[in-house]
Amino acid sequence: MTAVAALEPRVLVPLAIRGEPPAWGQVTHELQGQSMGTTWSVRCVGPRELRLEAIARAIDTALAGVVAQMSHWEPGSALSRFNAAPAGHEQLLPPAFATVMDAALRVAAASDGAYDPGAGELVALWGFGPAGLRPRHDEPGFTLPGDAAIEAARRSSRALRWDAATRRLTQPGGVRLDLSAIAKGYAVDRVSDVLADCGLPDHLVEIGGELRGAGLKPDGQPWWVELEPPAPDCGLAPTRVALHGLAIATSGDYRRCFIDADGRRRPHTLDPRTGRPIEHGIASVSVVHDSAMWADAWSTALTVLGPQAGLALAVEQGLAAQIVWRDDDGSFREAWTPALQELSL
C-alpha cells in the first residue's frame, strides 16, 4: 500500500491587524451551552478570577433575546406572531429583528430570490419545519409534496412590504418567515458584542458551526480555525483561517439531508425559486466576512445558486468565498473568489 502524502494547508489571514495582545497574565476561559436548537461555545481571554457565571448569564440572556424575536420554533416569538397574522397586518419589529430582516431582504434581492426569508411554508412542506406544523421528513405521515402543493407554498418574501426607516413589516397574507439561515449568524455577532461590552475583546464565538473571532490569544496568536471540508476524503488541501475580526459560515448539501422513499438524497437546502431541494452537485460554500450574519446568509444564497452562478455572484459582491462541488466522476472541485485569494499568504 502506498502512503498518501498529506496536502499542505492553505493559510488565510486578515488584511489588517488591530489592537494589542492581551495583558500579561491573562488566560483563556471556556464556556458552553445550548440555545436555538444547537450548542454554543465561547473562548475568551481574561483575568484568572473572571466571574464566568456572570459572563454565561449575559450570553444566555442575549441568545434568549434572539429566540424571543426570530425563532420560528417558538409560537410566542415576534416572528411566529407575524407568520400567524392576517393579510394587511403591519408589525413594528424590534431593532434586532429589523436588522436581520433588512439584511435578509437585501441578500434575497441581490440573489434574485435564491435566498428567501419568506420560504417558511416551503420549509415546512418538505418536512424541515417545526414539529406540529407539518409532518417532518423523519416522522410517520410524511410524503413528498406534489407540484400543486409546492406551487401553493411558493409565497415569496417579495410580496412583503418593508419600511426600514420605521421598522414596519406588512404581512401580505400567507407568507411564513424563516430566518434560520441568517439569525444564527446574527446571534454569533450579538454574543461577540456582549463579550466586548463585558471588557473581553479577545474571544472566539461558535454557534452551531458558525464562528467569529476577535482580538488575540494570550500568546499573541489569532484564533486559528479550519474551513469545514464537505468530506474527510474530499482530496482538497485544508484551509486555515486566522479569525481576527473575521467570521466564517459554511453551508452545503452534506450537512443535513434525508433519503426519500425512492432512494434519492434530498438536501435540506431548498431553492425557493423552484420550491425543491437543490440538485446541482454543490457540496459546500464557506464565506469569510467581518459579520457572521452576512456570512451566514450569503453562504446559503451561494449554495442555492450552484457552482457557476454562485461564484459569479460572489465575485460581483466582492465576497471572500470558497465553493466546492462534486464533478461528474464524483471527485471534488473548488473555486476561490478573488477576495478570498487576497487573504491567502
Side-chain angles (χ1 to χ4, degrees):
M1 180 180 294
T2 302
V4 178
L7 296 172
E8 287 292 325
R10 288 83 62 91
V11 177
L12 304 178
V13 298
L15 298 178
I17 304 297
R18 301 179 180 87
E20 300 293 332
W24 180 261
Q26 296 204 349
V27 298
T28 301
H29 302 275
E30 297 188 15
L31 295 164
Q32 57 187 3
Q34 293 185 330
S35 183
M36 303 179 71
T38 186
T39 60
W40 63 263
S41 65
V42 163
R43 300 177 67 192
C44 58
V45 179
R48 294 182 183 276
E49 63 275 12
L50 184 66
R51 294 176 56 198
L52 296 180
E53 297 83 1
I55 303 301
R57 283 197 301 272
I59 293 171
D60 283 334
T61 298
L63 293 175
V66 176
V67 170
Q69 292 188 35
M70 291 172 264
S71 174
H72 64 290
W73 298 84
E74 293 293 331
S77 71
L79 182 146
S80 292
R81 294 198 303 273
F82 180 85
N83 285 348
H89 170 76
E90 185 180 81
Q91 187 165 325
L92 174 64
L93 303 189
F97 190 172
T99 295
V100 173
M101 195 70 227
D102 191 68
L105 291 174
R106 289 174 184 270
V107 174
S111 65
D112 199 23
Y115 168 70
D116 189 344
E121 190 68 20
L122 278 172
V123 172
L125 186 67
W126 281 93
F128 305 142
L133 190 62
R134 297 277 194 282
R136 288 181 55 78
H137 65 84
D138 52 0
E139 294 177 341
F142 172 75
T143 57
L144 290 176
D147 293 345
I150 290 173
E151 190 59 34
R154 289 180 59 216
R155 298 183 178 93
S156 171
S157 64
R158 297 184 186 192
L160 294 167
R161 294 204 306 273
W162 167 237
D163 188 332
T166 63
R167 307 201 318 268
R168 294 186 179 278
L169 186 68
T170 302
Q171 168 67 269
V175 170
R176 183 174 293 276
L177 299 178
D178 181 345
L179 298 178
S180 55
I182 188 172
K184 187 169 62 176
Y186 172 82
V188 171
D189 292 336
R190 180 74 186 100
V191 170
S192 179
D193 290 342
V194 166
L195 293 170
D197 290 344
C198 290
L200 302 169
D202 305 290
H203 55 259
L204 177 68
V205 179
E206 180 270 334
I207 302 179
E210 320 296 9
L211 300 114
R212 179 179 177 181
L216 301 167
K217 295 190 291 186
D219 61 0
Q221 286 286 316
W223 305 97
W224 289 103
V225 301
E226 285 196 6
L227 293 184
E228 185 177 1
D233 58 349
C234 65
L236 302 176
T239 303
R240 301 187 70 207
V241 187
L243 285 191
H244 174 83
L246 293 175
I248 293 177
T250 298
S251 299
D253 71 350
Y254 69 98
R255 278 194 157 188
R256 292 189 301 166
C257 65
F258 74 98
I259 307 301
D260 66 21
D262 298 326
R264 296 181 65 184
R265 186 173 182 272
R266 300 281 190 173
H268 281 213
T269 301
L270 299 176
D271 185 340
R273 302 166 303 175
T274 65
R276 292 170 170 78
I278 58 174
E279 295 183 330
H280 45 49
I282 205 159
S284 73
V285 174
S286 294
V287 175
V288 180
H289 200 283
D290 57 7
S291 162
M293 177 186 72
W294 288 100
D296 200 6
W298 278 121
S299 65
T300 300
L302 301 182
T303 297
V304 171
L305 285 168
Q308 289 76 32
L311 181 61
L313 181 61
V315 172
E316 175 188 309
Q317 294 290 324
L319 299 172
Q322 178 203 50
I323 299 179
V324 180
W325 66 95
R326 297 175 185 83
D327 219 339
D328 293 339
D329 61 2
S331 62
F332 289 90
R333 297 183 62 191
E334 68 172 341
W336 286 22
T337 63
L340 191 69
Q341 294 171 14
E342 192 176 3
L343 302 178
S344 179
L345 281 179

